Amino acid sequence: MRVGEDLFVRSARGDSPAWLRGTRVRHEGRISAGGIEKDVAFAAAEPEAADAIDTAYHDKYRRYGGQYLGSVVTPEARATTIRLLPR
């Protein structure tokens, strides 16, 4: 999710997905979105950014209702928020 110039990701499935566990071990990786691939570093998101990230998710996914939105704005999802930093 983009908030200003910053990019963030969250796990809609809590702490269990392998990709999320991998970010905590390797702290870097490669992302692909919108036809663009970039090397990134994974960093903890600042807690004060959580509300702005929620708002961005609401703005982007509200038209889909709870199907997508409900899973990424829960307290469990918020706790998995990672900031993507260009390398």
Side-chain angles (χ1 to χ4, degrees), residues 1-4 6 16 22-24 27 30-31 35 38 43 47-48 53 55 60 63 68 71 73 78 81-82 84:
M1 181 56 54
R2 183 180 200 128
V3 177
D6 296 322
S16 62
T23 65
R24 293 175 177 158
H27 304 285
R30 186 163 184 86
I31 62 163
K38 294 286 183 181
E48 58 272 8
I53 297 166
T55 298
K60 184 172 183 177
R63 70 177 174 259
Y68 298 109
S71 64
V73 295
R78 285 178 80 152
T81 306
I82 298 169
L84 304 177

Side-chain angles (χ1 to χ4, degrees), residues 17-82:
W19 71 264
L20 181 63
R21 292 190 314 269
T23 65
R24 293 175 177 158
V25 172
R26 291 184 296 279
H27 304 285
E28 61 183 31
R30 186 163 184 86
I31 62 163
S32 176
I36 298 171
E37 291 191 24
K38 294 286 183 181
D39 291 325
V40 296
F42 304 117
E46 301 81 7
E48 58 272 8
D51 290 338
I53 297 166
D54 282 354
T55 298
Y57 273 112
H58 279 279
D59 291 346
K60 184 172 183 177
Y61 293 111
R62 88 170 39 121
R63 70 177 174 259
Y64 300 107
Q67 179 182 359
Y68 298 109
L69 187 58
S71 64
V72 291
V73 295
T74 64
E76 294 80 16
R78 285 178 80 152
T80 68
T81 306
I82 298 169

